[in-house]
Amino acid sequence: MSRPEGMRGSRRSLQVKFVPDEDVLRHISDDAGTKVRKDKAQLSVNVKRFVKKLENISDNEAQEILEENYVAALGICAQDPVGNGSNISGGEVYSFQTPKRSNKMAELASQLAQTPEKNVSPDDSKCPEKMAKTPQSSSNFMWAEIVWKCNLKKKEFVSSTPYRLRKRLAAPDPYLESESEYSASCSEEEDEDEQKEVSTVLSDQKTPAKIKAASTPPPRNSLTKKNKEQKMGNLVEEYFEAHSSSKVLTSDRTLQKLRKRRLDQQTLHDLLKNAPLAYAAEIRDLNQQHESLFSKWMLQLHLGFNIVLYGLGSKRDLLEKFRTSLLQDSVHLVVNGYFPSITVRSILNSITEEVLDHIGTFRSPLDQLEFITKRFKEDSSLELYVLIHNLDSQMLRGERSQQILAQLSSLPSIYLIASIDHINAPLMWDQAKLSLYNWLWYETTTFNPYVEETSYENSLLVQQSGSLALSSLMHVLHSLTLNARGIFRLLAQHQLEKKDNPSYPGLSFQDFYQQCREAFLVNSDLTLRAQLTEFRDHKLIRTKRGADGVEYLLIPVDDSTLTDFLEKEDEDV
Amino acid sequence: MSTCSVSKGCFVFKPSTKKRRLSDKTAHDFRCTSNDSEDTELRFVTCQSLWNQIKSETEKIQENLNKQLLDNLVSFLSRSHSDFQEKTTEWTCRMKFREIPTAALVLGVNVTDHDLTFRGLSDVLQDNITPYVALLEAKDCPGIKNLMQKLMGQLMKCDIDVDSLEDEDCVQVSQNRIRCSMPSLISWYDSVTKKTDSETPSKKRNSSSRHWQSPPVVVIFRDMESFTTKVLQDFIVISSQHIHELPLVLIFGIATSPMIIHRLLPHSVSSLLCIELFQSLSCKEHLSTIIDKLLLTSRFPFKLGEKVLQVLINIFLYHDFSVQNFIKGFQLCIVEHFYSQPLSVLCCHLADIKKRVYSLSHNQCENIRRLPSFRRYVEKQESGKQIELLTNDSFLKEETEKLLEDLHVYHENYVRILRCLHVFTSSLPKYPLGKQIRELHCACLENRVWETEEYESSLQLARMLNKTDLVTILQQCVEILMSSSGKEFDRAVGKLKEFLTQFQNLEEASQERDVSVSPQKELQKKTDLYHLQKTLLELKESRRSKKLTKFEMLRFEVVDYIDSLVRRYLVPADQRTLQEIVYFNGAAVLRGHLNAAPRTALHTALNNPHWYLKNQALRCDGGGISNKAPDICIVYKLHLECGRLINLVDWLEAFSTVVMAAEETNADAASSDQVDDVIHARFIRAVSELELLGFIKPSKQKTDHVARLTWGGC
């Protein structure tokens, strides 16, 4: 009866012990009894704990589910009617690079151009997302449209929908035809291999496209799982495809060829001013919602929090309104963070010099900060509101600047309210800075255009406005002697004469000297050199040495500005 | 005055001096803000006093928690330079003197909480050990020179504090003018200590009786990881040269692990240190204590709803482990609650309730009637009382007072029973209801805990506890219930005690029985397989109808009793009448303010403008957007279809296609050239806005191209 136990025992310790039957029975029965109960209990525990997660994980969307759990855990599910837009999961916002074909943008444009018609084909309107993700399946029609649109003039575009439907029903033959048209018209724009790729894609996709066009879209729920798996597979493939080649295929068209007048800052400004702002009423409503929070901001500022505003749209007007409506009676400092030459130093300076009326300089911003801290701690009646537009601007986003601003904002009698716009702005702050700032976040999506914020951007690629260059040119030139102006004029004229020559190196010094002499502008080599040094100091000219060691002079201003300049000069004279 | 300028970025506005607002403005804000201005002043005062109480409470908690650590540190410091005190000249001692006594303080990753710890530390040190404490932070010490300067500045300033401006020259000599070097530090130290020596005994007792004759100089490195290795090494090497002249003690604040010391310092340097390790309390325990003392108590009338608590705890666990931030969130909850709920004026201590209830205005009574929980309550009353409640203000006030008192009693009982239940669940295997009391608390707040699966399984597990465990648990429960002041639990305590005595009796009985069964008889029985099998079968038959042993019966009884207590007292708070007055439930608001997601907001605005702009034209099913969307949305959508580089011409053309299609219906008349220019301008604006937002940047790789900076977001 007790054999199994006895055996085991003897093998180990060579000790045989008699165990009475009752004991064995009790042992077995007890064991079994507890086991049954325990199993049951643990089962229910396990069910709750793991099954929920495990079955999801097996479903290829573990990521999503975990994310959802996390989001749900943070209590996001409770949505307030005012609506803040942060209820989407991160997977949608952050994802991998996927390969893009060069014509995709045009496709989307044409697709968007058609959406207002309410009789859009059902599969388009129902799942445009899917279309965007698997473009091959549906892009053929788009292709055809693009092609067709290239041929037709834009004015006839109104009749698009019926045509589109017709196209859809037609046999695939026209594609070939239209494709050749496209390549003919755009051959200079597309690379050779790109062409090939496009044509293979077209021929590959012909049959599935036809099938898809003929059949109605399948019921979603039966295919969701399959779709997901496919999507996952696609994602992996797409990732590697996108990262396989460093070469990016884009068309070679340039703005120069567009033969459109380039807009300068002023005309741009005027045009935009005259253009009506879309959805003005809705935007006003939105802003009014934010304005109702002003007094709450005040309260929270006074309770030791600082406020940061985020969301799409310029928050400048909102903050200005806050300032004019609530801060009129208190000392406040407005900082335009987007101002291109703003520094922490200038902010600190304006606090010490204008708010604290301190005369004197400081060795380092840290000293200055210490001084400010001391003054504010000594004098409890002193308080200061600081409004910073674009705390995340190029000049302020550095680690040290943020550290100083954070320390400044942690003073109990300095109230900071700031706005951020850049998508990566929160990365500026680590835990230490965050706790110094003691932020309360407010979503204030205003949809206002960033007029002021972008007005300083001269790196803007689209229009290289010459007006600023021109006015500075005029300004400098006016302060020079008549002879000097003549010298510059000569150089400018020469440069304009050669403007059609793309490899024009500049005017060589010797030739220039000769010309100047002939025009009685200089009398010696040295005077010309002195004059040129002055030009160079004002960045009016650039010199470079050619291969033969000869010095070439060039005005680093584009031709149109130079022409304008000469015209203006002529007027003056 | 305008704030746009091309030459200036900062604008200071100073109002004329007499117009400045006075200091009572905060209360003023509170008043002018709330929609219905009922009792705002009182509410504000209540809010402030509550917050101040909570704040001081948290500080006290922190102090208590750190007490152990600080005591250890103090004893370490007093030991560290005992040799120096005696001024021994033995050779071994002098050898040992090369080593700087160092305390490595492992504080955990919640850097933001360290502030309080260090403040407490330096206070304790200045009180007990030495007036010479310097606290250095990495951001102030980019080089050894700055470090020395900072160090001397702090040391000499504290010297001034102690001597209370005795000698003027010491004040005038600013730290900048002294040459910052170790010798000057030593000479300063000598002069200071000698001065205290030469002082008259009576004066000495006054000023620095707590300190010894030559107190050590303590240098605290607040965040050791962020110091430059070179600075640290240099400082240690230099000061080890002078250790026999200057009794230096270092304290390293470490956020990660003690290994970092050896990673930062080479062996030659770390061998100059005599390191002792101190571990501070983990932040999780800290949080538990805070929750225990702030939330699971009836001392504070203000309570957090389930969702809110969940948000706060999750921010703590997922994001920062910072107790400081947890308390900040708690503060925000208090402010929000008192700001947005006009009835929060009744969220006060029991003693004040009567007065406040009776001074309620008619409007406030209406507010009470509008509370959902109150409505539910009214519906349950008989019709006569219903009318009375809805029409008669004074009757309503009486009832309100009673209900609020009920609520208060409910809280007290709730906490006790919650603790009892926690004693049970925390001893179960796998912790079906959570290990921490906060998890249990959340579960109980969320819904009826006895209806959950976890509760079911934990009861089942509790029915399997062995006797010793069960007895200790019961004893703990009795203690918890005894500690309550009210008479509520007298019966429960009696019952539990009865159980305990029954267990006691059971034990004795079984002992007796054990004695009675003689082992001799058992042995005589013959054992064989056949019989065993037979008996087992019989046993199996009898099991179905088997009577439980006495112990098992008792165990079931105990568990059932606990279950009945739970069902009676752990009713979720949102089912209580008038809970809105004391519970804060704005989880979404809280999350928006503390754990914002700027990027997702931007994403929503760009992809789904209809979310913000309630215009039918923007409405679009599925994931797409309509072509009437704001320019920036269209430009954004188009750029999503591009690869790493984007051709501006293509982009512009695509944009104008979309925009023209959208406008064709209404703007035919305008000359095409004009329209083109406007569209061009709008495009330029939208692109530069995208650049400002950080989606694209100019690229030099190809003419008229921009580079894309983000991926995803279809």
Side-chain angles (χ1 to χ4, degrees), chain B residues 51-67:
Chain B
W51 166 237
N52 287 336
Q53 273 177 41
I54 286 175
K55 203 168 143 198
S56 63
E57 179 74 20
T58 52
E59 273 159 18
K60 220 182 294 164
I61 291 169
Q62 170 121 29
E63 231 166 73
N64 289 340
L65 288 178
N66 282 331
K67 201 169 179 318

Side-chain angles (χ1 to χ4, degrees), chain B residues 81-216:
Chain B
H81 277 290
S82 49
D83 298 340
F84 194 87
Q85 292 294 313
E86 289 146 21
K87 299 209 160 72
T88 46
T89 46
E90 276 173 63
W91 183 79
T92 47
C93 277
R94 260 197 282 163
M95 268 318 283
K96 222 184 130 202
F97 269 171
R98 287 296 296 278
E99 290 185 350
I100 310 170
T102 306
L105 207 57
V106 182
L107 291 163
V109 289
N110 48 337
V111 190
T112 47
D113 293 346
H114 298 174
D115 223 12
L116 266 177
T117 316
F118 280 115
R119 219 182 301 151
L121 175 65
S122 60
D123 284 351
V124 167
L125 291 183
Q126 292 198 330
D127 282 351
N128 298 322
I129 303 281
T130 167
Y132 313 122
V133 179
L135 183 71
L136 298 178
E137 288 183 55
K139 61 173 188 284
D140 298 330
C141 311
I144 184 82
K145 211 174 132 197
N146 308 60
L147 188 143
M148 286 304 290
Q149 186 187 330
K150 202 89 195 164
L151 175 66
M152 293 183 73
Q154 287 193 19
L155 287 177
M156 292 176 184
K157 227 176 270 165
C158 72
D159 174 45
I160 292 160
D161 285 346
V162 167
D163 288 346
S164 59
L165 303 170
E166 218 170 89
D167 34 6
E168 287 297 310
D169 56 346
C170 194
V171 185
Q172 280 166 358
V173 174
S174 96
Q175 80 238 23
N176 299 334
R177 256 180 279 161
I178 318 171
R179 276 191 53 231
C180 296
S181 66
M182 221 54 189
S184 57
L185 189 64
I186 290 163
S187 63
W188 162 81
Y189 181 77
D190 280 345
S191 71
V192 169
T193 44
K194 226 168 259 152
K195 202 162 58 196
T196 32
D197 280 346
S198 61
E199 272 168 4
T200 55
S202 64
K203 195 165 185 188
K204 200 164 123 195
R205 207 167 297 134
N206 284 338
S207 62
S208 58
S209 57
R210 295 154 302 176
H211 309 310
W212 313 310
Q213 294 218 310
S214 48

Side-chain angles (χ1 to χ4, degrees), chain B residues 60 160 269 316 333 477 541 614 629:
Chain B
K60 220 182 294 164
I160 292 160
V269 175
F316 176 85
C333 292
C477 288
E541 282 298 304
K614 303 290 178 200

Side-chain angles (χ1 to χ4, degrees), chain B residues 267-499:
Chain B
H267 181 70
S268 59
V269 175
S270 63
S271 63
L272 297 173
L273 301 174
C274 170
I275 302 172
E276 198 161 318
L277 203 65
F278 295 89
Q279 186 92 36
S280 84
L281 202 67
S282 89
C283 51
K284 263 154 62 190
E285 280 167 58
H286 191 169
L287 180 76
S288 307
T289 329
I290 292 276
I291 287 180
D292 206 48
K293 291 269 161 61
L294 290 186
L295 301 180
L296 300 178
T297 167
S298 45
R299 279 186 59 200
F300 303 110
F302 175 76
K303 308 277 173 208
L304 294 181
E306 187 265 333
K307 287 258 167 56
V308 174
L309 185 59
Q310 204 75 50
V311 167
L312 285 181
I313 290 176
N314 281 323
I315 290 176
F316 176 85
L317 292 177
Y318 282 108
H319 289 274
D320 50 13
F321 287 122
S322 162
V323 179
Q324 225 42 45
N325 279 354
F326 183 86
I327 291 167
K328 170 191 165 187
F330 194 55
Q331 183 193 5
L332 185 65
C333 292
I334 295 174
V335 173
E336 277 288 330
H337 181 68
F338 280 91
Y339 177 81
S340 55
Q341 174 61 267
L343 285 171
S344 58
V345 68
L346 297 179
C347 181
C348 58
H349 289 287
L350 200 55
D352 300 335
I353 280 184
K354 196 177 171 85
K355 209 174 75 202
R356 293 200 181 180
V357 166
Y358 283 105
S359 57
L360 285 183
S361 66
H362 176 70
N363 268 349
Q364 286 283 54
C365 291
E366 285 302 312
N367 279 336
I368 292 181
R369 288 183 185 120
R370 248 174 261 137
L371 291 180
S373 71
F374 187 75
R375 277 203 215 147
R376 249 177 289 148
Y377 171 75
V378 171
E379 276 158 24
K380 279 191 207 131
Q381 308 301 318
E382 72 255 20
S383 57
K385 202 176 173 190
Q386 275 185 357
I387 294 165
E388 196 69 352
L389 278 174
L390 293 179
T391 53
N392 188 345
D393 275 0
S394 57
F395 183 75
L396 176 80
K397 284 176 187 171
E398 269 172 45
E399 197 68 19
T400 308
E401 193 199 341
K402 218 184 303 161
L403 286 170
L404 283 174
E405 273 163 16
D406 281 354
L407 199 61
H408 189 80
V409 172
Y410 155 78
H411 281 137
E412 265 178 14
N413 298 339
Y414 174 89
V415 172
R416 308 265 170 231
I417 299 299
L418 188 74
R419 285 185 201 279
C420 288
L421 183 61
H422 179 240
V423 170
F424 261 93
T425 54
S426 60
S427 56
L428 298 176
K430 288 201 172 173
Y431 312 104
L433 275 171
K435 208 174 187 175
Q436 306 280 351
I437 195 163
R438 57 164 189 259
E439 295 166 78
L440 190 63
H441 182 48
C442 282
C444 290
L445 282 176
E446 194 179 2
N447 43 32
R448 298 176 184 201
V449 70
W450 56 88
E451 285 169 0
T452 59
E453 261 173 70
E454 289 95 338
Y455 182 77
E456 204 58 37
S457 59
S458 52
L459 272 197
Q460 257 160 3
L461 288 172
R463 287 195 186 108
M464 281 176 278
L465 285 170
N466 64 25
K467 193 157 73 183
T468 44
D469 282 353
L470 203 58
V471 168
T472 46
I473 287 172
L474 281 181
Q475 274 161 352
Q476 280 174 324
C477 288
V478 168
E479 270 169 41
I480 290 168
L481 294 182
M482 293 273 270
S483 67
S484 88
S485 51
K487 296 269 174 278
E488 181 73 27
F489 291 119
D490 282 356
R491 259 194 62 222
V493 170
K495 187 87 180 167
L496 290 181
K497 276 186 174 159
E498 197 182 305
F499 282 131

Side-chain angles (χ1 to χ4, degrees), chain B residues 666-685:
Chain B
N666 46 24
D668 269 326
S671 73
S672 68
D673 186 42
Q674 187 55 36
V675 170
D676 240 5
D677 262 359
V678 171
I679 289 175
H680 191 184
R682 281 164 62 185
F683 175 72
I684 290 168
R685 176 172 65 189

Side-chain angles (χ1 to χ4, degrees), chain A residues 1 21 70 73 85 95 104 112 246 250-251 253 255 279 282 302 332 334 336 354 438-439 441 443 456, chain B residues 3 5 9 11 13 29 314 319 328 527-528 532 593 604 612 615 627-628 641 644 647 650 702 704 712:
Chain A
M1 281 186 143
D21 288 1
Y70 168 71
S95 69
K104 282 278 297 284
L112 282 176
S246 58
T250 51
S251 65
R253 301 198 289 172
L255 290 171
Y279 306 107
E282 284 82 5
H302 284 148
H332 55 277
V334 178
N336 292 342
E354 297 186 55
N438 203 13
W439 288 131
W441 298 74
E443 186 190 332
Y456 292 103
Chain B
T3 56
S5 154
F11 306 87
F13 297 88
D29 282 327
N314 281 323
H319 289 274
K328 170 191 165 187
T527 308
D528 62 58
L532 178 66
H593 289 333
T604 314
Y612 295 97
N615 190 315
N627 56 12
K628 293 202 177 63
E641 300 302 324
R644 204 147 45 76
N647 185 320
D650 290 350
K702 223 169 161 185
D704 289 332

